[in-house]
Amino acid sequence: RHDYYRLLLELFIERWAQPYYQWCEDHGLEFTGHYWEHEWPNCGAVPDNMAMYAWHQRPAIDCLMNQYAENTHAQFGNIRAVRELSSIADQMGRRRTLCEIYGAGGWDLRFEDMKRIADWLGVLGVNTFDEHLSYVTIRGARKMDHPQSFSYHASWWNDYHVMARYMTRLSLVLSAGERRNEILLLEPTSTAWLYQGDGTTADALRRLGDEFFDLVKTLECDQVEYDLGCEDVMGRHGEVQNGALRVGHRSYHTVVIPPLCRNLETKTVRLLKAFLEDGGTVLCCGDVPELADGAPSPEIASLAALPGWISLSPAELSARLLKRQDPGVRIHWREPR
């Protein structure tokens, strides 16, 4: 399964993403759009979302509906999906990110709801918003098919300029600076490949997705600043420099291996070995991965013996990372008197 899904990814990039990226690059255009990011860790539609974003001039995702939910297959509330986007954009030096927003939000979607969704996406790294959608007509089934419509069909259309102006200013502000996070959390997508297409492994796949989402949510709630790491992107753009793991335009002093991560790509193993030997820190939440490229590997086990490798539980992770993070900006909540 590992080799099959890695081949799918390599072909998807070679035959689809890379040619489109290069054609747009040659013609002064931006390749954008979204894949099926909400289904991870199910990789049947897209073997690795993050790997595909690297071939966008403007990486993009989708965010449907108006119901907030915190789980691995959620839309509004899916922290992981937005962090994937912002991490790749920063690592590849992409100034702008895009989200198709408000699809299936309903005819009762209010400006208050629109602002709430856009603000949540903006905090996590989206800085361009593409409203879904504008109907030519709402005759027949169209009236009930993924409403609402950003057009004269909506009762609020004549006042929408108020919301549009706010989002324009928000996009400008969020595009003006850069995030520079120094903690890299590996996304266990190559482990997810091991569990695809077989009902006997469905529970293992679900648990992998749920525990990774819970870890990401915990880091967000504890105000840990981090990027997600894609092994394909790390293999293409990763190197070790002066005790840091550099992925494209970003450098990391700490790498986190999440719970239930069983597999690492051989290129990842070599990067981590060089990183540890150069003074880097790897925090492993749980058992040491035992597979490289889907096969047993004694080389991974040897990493755990190197200085800088620290095993700990997920519950201990945030406190450890906060000690390694610049404490300059933190939000403290106080109960109103």
Side-chain angles (χ1 to χ4, degrees), residues 211-241:
E211 291 207 16
F212 188 72
F213 184 87
D214 289 345
L215 181 64
V216 166
K217 178 184 172 183
T218 297
L219 296 181
E220 297 289 344
C221 291
D222 291 340
Q223 299 184 49
V224 176
E225 294 298 331
Y226 65 96
D227 286 338
L228 294 181
C230 167
E231 291 192 77
D232 182 80
V233 173
M234 291 169 64
R236 296 172 189 267
H237 302 281
E239 60 180 334
V240 176
Q241 291 182 347

Side-chain angles (χ1 to χ4, degrees), residues 28-73:
L29 300 173
E30 291 187 353
F31 179 32
T32 189
H34 75 90
Y35 293 91
W36 207 239
E37 62 275 5
H38 312 110
E39 276 298 300
W40 188 94
N42 298 320
C43 300
V46 186
D48 188 334
N49 290 302
M50 294 186 72
M52 305 305 292
Y53 300 154
W55 299 96
H56 278 161
Q57 277 85 2
R58 187 177 301 214
I61 58 171
D62 189 15
C63 183
L64 293 168
M65 297 174 282
N66 183 30
Q67 181 179 7
Y68 186 82
E70 293 177 338
N71 62 70
T72 192
H73 296 307

Side-chain angles (χ1 to χ4, degrees), residues 83-281:
R83 274 290 185 178
E84 288 178 344
L85 177 74
S86 60
S87 299
I88 288 295
D90 291 345
Q91 291 160 2
M92 301 306 297
R94 308 297 183 204
R95 179 169 167 263
R96 304 302 297 273
T97 58
L98 174 71
C99 182
E100 180 186 345
I101 194 172
Y102 306 138
W107 290 114
D108 57 345
L109 191 73
R110 305 165 300 171
F111 286 3
E112 178 183 349
D113 301 316
M114 296 180 194
K115 182 179 184 300
R116 179 177 65 130
I117 297 170
D119 287 348
W120 179 82
L121 289 162
V123 165
L124 291 172
V126 173
N127 58 30
T128 320
F129 304 94
D130 169 27
E131 299 95 335
H132 178 294
L133 51 67
S134 297
Y135 285 117
V136 174
T137 175
I138 56 172
R139 287 181 178 176
R142 296 179 187 87
K143 185 173 183 179
M144 303 305 296
D145 179 28
H146 276 63
Q148 66 301 320
S149 178
F150 284 81
S151 69
Y152 66 90
H153 301 111
S155 59
W156 40 257
W157 179 242
N158 289 336
D159 298 310
Y160 183 65
H161 63 90
V162 175
M163 190 66 214
R165 185 178 299 115
Y166 169 76
M167 292 180 67
T168 301
R169 294 167 68 87
L170 180 66
S171 297
L172 174 63
V173 170
L174 294 178
S175 303
E178 292 186 7
R179 287 174 302 271
R180 289 197 172 270
N181 300 326
E182 297 180 309
I183 295 163
L184 185 69
L185 171 60
L186 291 183
E187 184 169 276
T189 299
S190 67
T191 297
W193 292 344
L194 309 178
Y195 305 131
Q196 301 297 312
D198 183 352
T200 62
T201 57
D203 287 344
L205 186 64
R206 176 190 52 76
R207 188 179 170 209
L208 177 72
D210 290 348
E211 291 207 16
F212 188 72
F213 184 87
D214 289 345
L215 181 64
V216 166
K217 178 184 172 183
T218 297
L219 296 181
E220 297 289 344
C221 291
D222 291 340
Q223 299 184 49
V224 176
E225 294 298 331
Y226 65 96
D227 286 338
L228 294 181
C230 167
E231 291 192 77
D232 182 80
V233 173
M234 291 169 64
R236 296 172 189 267
H237 302 281
E239 60 180 334
V240 176
Q241 291 182 347
N242 302 320
L245 176 60
R246 186 168 185 85
V247 183
H249 292 253
R250 293 295 181 267
S251 293
Y252 305 97
H253 59 56
T254 303
V255 175
V256 178
I257 299 177
L260 305 181
C261 180
R262 292 183 57 207
N263 182 81
L264 296 173
E265 300 298 274
T266 297
K267 291 181 179 179
T268 306
V269 175
R270 292 171 181 165
L271 273 175
L272 292 180
K273 185 174 186 292
F275 178 55
L276 287 163
E277 290 176 342
D278 206 27
T281 298

